[in-house]
Amino acid sequence: MEPMASEGRDILNERQMEAVNLTQGPLLIIAGAGSGKTRVITHRIAKLISTGINPNQILALTFTNKAAAEMKERTLALCGLRGGGMWISTFHSACLRILRQEADRIDYPRDFAVYDQQDQTRLIKAVLKEIHLDEKENPARQIGSMISRYKSHLKGPDEAEAEVGKRHQQFVEIFRRYEEKLRAARCMDFDDLLGRLVGLLANDAEARMKYQNRFHHAMVDEFQDTNAAQYRLLRLIMGDNQNICVVGDDDQSIYQWRGASLENLRNFERDYPGAKVIMLEQNYRSTGVILRAANAVVARNPGRRGKSLWTKNSEGARIELIVAGDEREEASEVAERILGLEAAGESLNEMAVFYRTNSQSRAVEEALRAVGAPHQVYGGLKFYDRKEVKDLLAYFNVAMNPHDLVGFRRIINTPPRGIGQVTLGKLEDWAASQGLAPAQALDDLESIDGLSPSVRAKLAEFREILRKVALLVAEKDAQEAVSGALEISGYADWLVNDNKSESISRMENLDELVNAAADFSERTGDSSMRAFLDQAALVADADNVTDAQGRGAVKLMTVHVSKGLEFDHVYVTGLEDNLFPHARSKEDPSQMEEERRLMYVAMTRARKSLAITRALTRRLLGVSQANRPSSFLSDLPEDVLHVSSPPRNETPVHRERTEYPARSWKPELAPAGWPSAREQSVGPTEVDGLSIGMKVRHPTFEIGVIRKIEGKGENAKVTIYFPRFGAKKLVRKFANITALD
């Protein structure tokens, strides 16, 4: 049997050898997961050098510094000293290298600075301040992402203005000023490295010919992840030269949301007539069972190439499908199996748990912590370290302890309520002069000099929010308190109305915080908010403790983050309809195709064993929701699965209909004279038995919370936030919703 990649990287199979030896003309290599594509690229470079090609004339591009370093190291091991001077780098590094040499052609100094994301964020904040916009209402990082999306398509402020219309002129102005400041400083951001070089090569014939004469061969890894700017750059550098080799896999294209264009891969043969296509289908990573299952899932996608992975590795064990009662049981079963593998001699470093959304990590983190299994969250923060979670919990800490200055500063203008740093400074200075904490000073606003009536009103509103949160702590259990604070603080409306992908993800995490409070109460028998806050603080502290026993750590990550990694043992959690595949994919066939590719990527990360899990019920907003199995499960052949259901007291049919009492903030519980939780809203707070803050059930969108009511009677419009579908505006008489309160 041929060794696996980790045992013999330099052994080439017939198809790989064909790709290595085909050194002239356009070549498209469709490289399936685990098929040894890096091995092919490095041997192909070595082959070119062995035929007399100068290493300086070979351009090899990939996406990460890690991948570029590995490619260069392995190529040098094959070529020795002959490989010196190779251009093996990321797209951005290659662009920077050329722009340094050609800076005078575009009126930049050779030592121009490159702004990373932090620098970009700071510059956008400076623009916001200059045009008097609140950064809380216009998050700089989100604006930076929007700017990046335009630049990845080689579009600037003018194109943005033509596309977004009058509603988003504010963004266009920020974009334009940001570009002006970058240019004035003679600096570039990461996207400019591509865009400026494309502009140079497109407009300067001398520069274009210089590099077309320089590079005789080009190779591009992960070609399915290239965006419009990267593909345009490649075409400009190579010109009429047909010696271009691209390596990619249409089944692993999962980054369309950040600008990657699968069409670059699909259209390669159109753009390069006569291109040779070689399929790498032999997998060196996974077992036969895992590959048959992954093939079955992705085969449902229309328009894909007819590729089917196979292996000489053993068939391996069947994929375990764990059907748990709820997300806690699901996470517990995964944790127990991980401990069992460790007891059998397997390393925790070779185990990974994947999930579709970041909010799912909370249950897994708690289960691993409960059994003492060290773990590490990849590509994101641990649950209680996430900004939105810390923000909401800070409301409770300040309401109970007015001396918590850090928490006070964190929430006084989060979400934005028009209280700026100047006002905060006056409040803190007066409080210090009186020997008070700033939160205590809110009770004597009339005594503070220099505050306008409008500012005093805003501070008074914030004071009332803290008083209401304190009332929640005194009178409600932890789940009700968290749910109520989401409404009272305005945090939920802030995120729901923003409707950006980052805000949607943050709202999912806050929904999960409601679930965490409910779980804590059930698990400990203590439903107080104080106890819940204590365990949240202890959890965050425990997360900072390293594993003194040197056991390694289980890796936790979203499926997107798992791309490019591999582990001996993989657990893919949450295989339920509207979770994986995600609910948003139902309205867009192309998104459903990407969800299926995500599942394929998740499954093919596993080397020895793969387990997939689903829960019969999963909490949404603290209410246990029955879940249908993921459509991906029906794609799997029966002979690849072993189904196991943990023993439980109730039968599955009973568990599927279990519901915990629905709870929400009730405005009538506030003391007399206090404004209602949603008094600041425009329009009515009730209609036909429904009220703002109430939990409801919809036959399609499942459980949601009413965020806004417009109009009266049966024609009233009700805006409802559904955790899995986002905000939906429904006409009352047509909205088939049932109140859960």
Side-chain angles (χ1 to χ4, degrees):
M1 184 181 80
E2 181 168 342
M4 295 179 70
S6 60
E7 297 171 345
R9 291 186 182 273
D10 296 330
I11 299 175
L12 298 174
N13 64 38
E14 183 178 347
R15 301 300 285 166
Q16 291 173 331
M17 187 64 75
E18 181 183 3
V20 167
N21 289 330
L22 190 63
T23 58
Q24 298 297 314
L27 173 61
L28 170 60
I29 301 175
I30 303 296
S35 62
K37 65 181 177 66
T38 303
R39 195 187 326 173
V40 171
I41 294 172
T42 55
H43 276 78
R44 196 170 185 277
I45 296 173
K47 176 71 174 181
L48 288 169
I49 294 174
S50 72
T51 63
I53 300 297
N54 188 320
N56 276 306
Q57 296 175 327
I58 301 171
L59 177 65
L61 299 172
T62 187
F63 279 83
T64 67
N65 290 317
K66 179 182 177 183
E70 181 186 2
M71 194 181 297
K72 184 175 292 186
E73 179 183 351
R74 289 169 63 172
T75 304
L76 287 172
L78 293 170
C79 299
L81 295 177
R82 291 180 302 165
M86 293 180 296
W87 282 60
I88 299 179
S89 71
T90 64
F91 274 93
H92 291 98
S93 294
C95 291
L96 179 59
R97 183 174 177 179
I98 294 174
L99 287 171
R100 289 270 189 240
Q101 296 174 7
E102 309 297 335
D104 57 321
R105 293 180 183 267
I106 55 173
D107 193 26
Y108 272 78
R110 285 181 180 266
D111 59 350
F112 65 84
V114 179
Y115 280 12
D116 61 15
Q117 188 179 62
Q118 288 187 347
D119 297 325
Q120 181 189 52
T121 299
R122 281 194 287 267
L123 185 57
I124 293 173
K125 287 182 177 180
V127 171
L128 293 173
K129 185 175 183 180
E130 185 178 278
I131 59 179
H132 308 293
L133 291 177
D134 190 338
E135 199 267 324
K136 293 285 180 61
E137 295 181 359
N138 302 273
R141 291 192 64 174
Q142 290 187 24
I143 293 171
S145 296
M146 293 170 65
I147 290 173
S148 180
R149 282 196 289 274
Y150 275 98
K151 289 189 174 186
S152 71
H153 288 89
L154 300 173
K155 296 178 179 179
D158 291 342
E159 290 84 359
E161 185 172 24
E163 291 181 12
V164 303
K166 294 182 178 180
R167 288 183 59 226
H168 300 287
Q169 285 301 304
Q170 189 170 279
F171 164 71
V172 173
E173 183 179 2
I174 296 169
F175 191 179
R176 199 179 303 281
R177 289 187 181 233
Y178 169 78
E179 288 291 275
E180 290 171 356
K181 287 183 177 295
L182 264 183
R183 181 70 191 188
R186 295 294 192 271
C187 297
M188 298 186 194
D189 62 23
F190 269 47
D191 295 298
D192 286 332
L193 296 177
L194 289 162
R196 296 290 185 196
L197 184 54
V198 166
L200 169 64
L201 298 180
N203 299 315
D204 188 324
E206 183 181 355
R208 184 168 63 250
M209 290 303 299
K210 175 180 177 180
Y211 289 96
Q212 287 179 357
N213 291 332
R214 170 69 177 272
F215 296 115
H216 293 189
H217 292 267
M219 275 173 281
V220 183
D221 190 18
E222 303 286 8
F223 192 64
Q224 77 280 350
D225 293 337
T226 54
N227 59 31
Q230 288 159 335
Y231 191 41
R232 174 67 173 149
L233 175 65
L234 190 66
R235 298 276 287 176
L236 285 168
I237 285 180
M238 295 307 292
D240 295 330
N241 187 340
Q242 296 286 295
N243 293 328
I244 178 170
C245 169
V246 300
V247 185
D249 183 8
D250 53 345
D251 289 336
Q252 296 188 74
S253 175
I254 60 173
Y255 297 124
Q256 292 186 60
W257 52 275
R258 68 183 189 194
S261 175
L262 183 54
E263 297 308 305
N264 291 343
L265 184 71
R266 290 176 171 169
N267 294 334
F268 185 81
E269 292 168 90
R270 180 202 66 189
D271 296 337
Y272 291 90
K276 176 72 175 178
V277 180
I278 295 177
M279 310 275 281
L280 301 183
E281 298 172 285
Q282 182 176 355
N283 176 282
Y284 293 91
R285 177 187 301 155
S286 306
T287 66
V289 164
I290 291 171
L291 294 181
R292 283 195 290 120
N295 285 333
V297 170
V298 80
R300 294 282 307 279
N301 273 353
R304 63 181 290 270
R305 292 177 180 268
K307 179 178 83 282
S308 184
L309 295 182
W310 61 277
T311 186
K312 290 183 179 179
N313 297 335
S314 67
E315 272 290 280
R318 289 188 177 191
I319 297 169
E320 184 176 17
L321 170 59
I322 303 169
V323 182
D326 57 27
E327 69 272 22
R328 284 168 53 191
E329 190 176 74
E330 174 190 47
S332 178
E333 289 296 319
V334 169
E336 291 295 336
R337 281 163 173 77
I338 284 172
L339 285 189
L341 284 171
E342 185 187 26
E346 299 290 321
S347 168
L348 292 181
N349 285 327
E350 289 299 337
M351 304 180 205
V353 183
F354 301 160
Y355 31 81
R356 178 62 183 84
T357 65
N358 273 308
S359 61
Q360 291 171 256
S361 76
R362 196 266 310 173
V364 180
E365 290 178 52
E366 291 186 356
L368 291 172
R369 193 177 302 112
V371 299
H375 54 279
Q376 179 181 5
V377 178
Y378 265 42
L381 296 171
K382 293 191 175 183
F383 183 77
Y384 287 101
D385 288 336
R386 292 168 189 165
K387 178 185 183 302
E388 57 276 10
V389 173
K390 293 175 75 71
D391 284 347
L392 198 70
L393 294 183
Y395 275 93
F396 292 100
N397 286 324
V398 175
M400 291 185 286
N401 174 20
H403 296 281
D404 180 0
L405 181 58
V406 172
F408 182 83
R409 289 173 174 170
R410 184 181 194 101
I411 63 174
I412 190 169
N413 201 43
T414 305
R417 46 179 65 94
I419 301 174
Q421 290 299 312
V422 173
T423 297
L424 180 60
K426 292 178 180 178
L427 181 66
E428 290 185 352
D429 289 345
W430 187 86
S433 71
Q434 302 298 311
L436 300 173
Q440 293 173 315
L442 293 174
D443 291 329
D444 196 6
L445 293 173
E446 295 302 323
S447 299
I448 304 175
D449 294 331
L451 298 181
S452 68
S454 63
V455 168
R456 283 195 173 88
K458 292 171 183 176
L459 291 171
E461 289 175 6
F462 178 60
R463 177 187 64 208
E464 297 308 310
I465 288 172
L466 292 179
R467 290 176 62 185
K468 290 185 196 179
V469 172
L471 186 67
L472 288 176
V473 174
E475 298 186 355
K476 301 295 179 181
D477 65 23
Q479 178 191 335
E480 290 176 302
V482 173
S483 181
L486 263 173
E487 299 296 323
I488 291 169
S489 65
Y491 212 108
D493 284 343
W494 179 42
L495 294 180
V496 170
N497 293 333
D498 190 49
N499 204 33
K500 295 187 179 75
S501 58
E502 181 179 334
S503 295
I504 292 170
S505 177
R506 290 168 65 190
M507 192 63 221
E508 288 174 346
N509 287 330
L510 290 175
D511 293 338
E512 187 59 27
L513 186 62
V514 178
N515 298 337
D519 282 348
F520 173 78
S521 300
E522 287 184 8
R523 187 172 66 253
T524 65
D526 189 339
S527 62
S528 70
M529 191 64 205
R530 178 71 274 171
F532 179 62
L533 287 171
D534 286 346
Q535 73 88 34
L538 292 172
V539 164
D541 186 58
D543 286 344
N544 294 322
V545 179
T546 57
D547 175 31
Q549 301 177 38
R551 293 164 60 191
V554 182
K555 308 301 186 291
L556 277 58
M557 65 192 75
T558 64
V559 180
H560 278 102
V561 172
S562 76
K563 176 77 161 51
L565 303 176
E566 56 185 76
F567 304 91
D568 284 346
H569 308 283
V570 169
Y571 297 84
V572 185
T573 61
L575 267 293
E576 297 142 35
D577 194 30
N578 295 329
L579 184 56
F580 197 7
H582 199 280
R584 290 191 292 273
S585 66
K586 284 191 170 183
E587 301 175 3
D588 185 345
S590 67
Q591 284 193 22
M592 178 57 80
E593 291 176 26
E594 184 150 321
E595 290 290 309
R596 199 170 279 114
R597 293 193 292 268
L598 266 176
M599 184 61 184
Y600 172 84
V601 166
M603 299 173 78
T604 54
R605 301 308 95 196
R607 288 191 285 253
K608 295 180 180 178
S609 75
L610 173 65
I612 53 182
T613 71
R614 63 167 290 237
L616 297 176
T617 63
R618 192 176 296 271
R619 274 196 173 97
L620 292 174
L621 296 165
V623 179
S624 187
Q625 168 74 45
N627 295 318
R628 295 181 296 273
S630 168
S631 57
F632 297 152
L633 297 179
S634 62
D635 296 336
L636 300 177
E638 289 186 9
D639 64 341
V640 305
L641 283 180
H642 167 67
V643 183
S644 65
S645 298
R648 53 179 69 93
N649 296 328
E650 307 106 312
T651 61
V653 68
H654 291 147
R655 288 297 293 267
E656 289 197 11
R657 282 296 152 199
T658 300
E659 284 193 0
Y660 297 92
R663 302 163 174 136
S664 71
W665 164 256
K666 299 288 196 303
E668 61 269 22
L669 295 176
W674 281 21
S676 69
R678 302 301 307 140
E679 187 173 274
Q680 297 88 346
S681 302
V682 176
T685 59
E686 293 187 3
V687 63
D688 193 21
L690 303 178
S691 60
I692 291 175
M694 179 181 285
K695 290 188 179 73
V696 296
R697 182 188 297 279
H698 187 277
T700 300
F701 303 132
E702 302 172 347
I703 293 172
V705 175
I706 297 176
R707 299 297 191 205
K708 188 177 182 181
I709 295 174
E710 300 170 271
K712 299 179 180 180
E714 62 179 10
N715 291 318
K717 294 178 181 178
V718 183
T719 300
I720 306 172
Y721 169 71
F722 298 97
R724 293 179 178 174
F725 294 85
K728 302 289 182 182
K729 182 178 287 189
L730 307 175
V731 178
R732 176 63 182 108
K733 65 180 176 181
F734 300 122
N736 186 13
I737 54 177
T738 305
L740 295 178
D741 288 315

